[in-house]
Amino acid sequence: PCPDCRGSRYARAAYDVKRRSKTGQTVSLPELMDMDVSSAIAFCHDMKTVCQRLQVLEHLGLGYLTLGEETPSLSGGEAQRLKLASEMERTQSHAVFVFDEPTIGLDAVSKLQLRDFLLSENHAHGTTIMLTTHDMEDISALCRRVLVLGHGKKLFDGELPALLARYDTMRTLRVRYAGEITLSALPESVQISRDGDFYVLAYPQQQVPTDHILSLLQSAGPIAELTLHERSMDRMIADMYQEMAL
């Protein structure tokens, strides 16, 4: 390591820069930079502007990052959220944020934190949020209006419920029983197949209610495993392409 900083990346003089909190705790600048965001919020709670900026990072799910974190070590999702946090320093009244696949690569908790943060900005400041995404959960959580483009053409422009009512018409159930069973007669519109130990049922939800299907399945015997799958955005877009002969 460097004989002067011993790998800390700080000159010796930096250790002479100290701050005492209102609780009497004293730390040097390098020690402060070694704190994670959440710890730094507690230490700097009497510094309003500093606290506000750090709290934005925590609300974006970055409370675990250290203040002196090297940017090359950040993931793509972390870097994107840091950039978003820097934009929060500006006046956000009626601002427009445009995101390209904002939650791609994020874990489940970070996805929820980012969505909650964007919604709070929208509600608090009237911020407009535009996404390009294939993540149906992002769309349902954040978007009132959906615009679908394909081959340079506008395939759909309207509210999400209208899109789902038109193209999200099929549901798929996968069910595995604890033993041998005999399925009751199913409605003609239900397509059934086998995948190993699983029965796979595809049905139009507007014609056959899911609770009716579940009642028939439960009457056949003890269920060991059951999953319900909604139609993917890719499948809905494929249906649009077919409908418009693209």
Side-chain angles (χ1 to χ4, degrees), residues 156-208:
F156 178 86
D157 182 2
E159 295 184 351
L160 180 60
L163 173 68
L164 298 179
R166 183 170 175 181
Y167 294 103
D168 187 24
T169 57
M170 297 294 291
R171 288 290 181 269
T172 301
L173 272 169
R174 288 172 55 86
V175 58
R176 179 173 62 85
Y177 286 92
E180 292 298 321
I181 58 96
T182 300
L183 276 176
S184 305
L186 297 169
E188 290 184 2
S189 56
V190 177
Q191 303 168 20
I192 184 168
S193 60
R194 292 293 298 269
D195 181 13
D197 293 335
F198 285 86
Y199 290 90
V200 182
L201 295 87
Y203 60 96
Q205 61 169 344
Q206 294 175 336
Q207 298 178 31
V208 186

Side-chain angles (χ1 to χ4, degrees), residues 136 168 170-172 228-232:
M136 199 63 200
D168 187 24
M170 297 294 291
R171 288 290 181 269
T172 301
L228 174 65
H229 301 274
E230 297 181 345
R231 208 164 207 197
S232 71

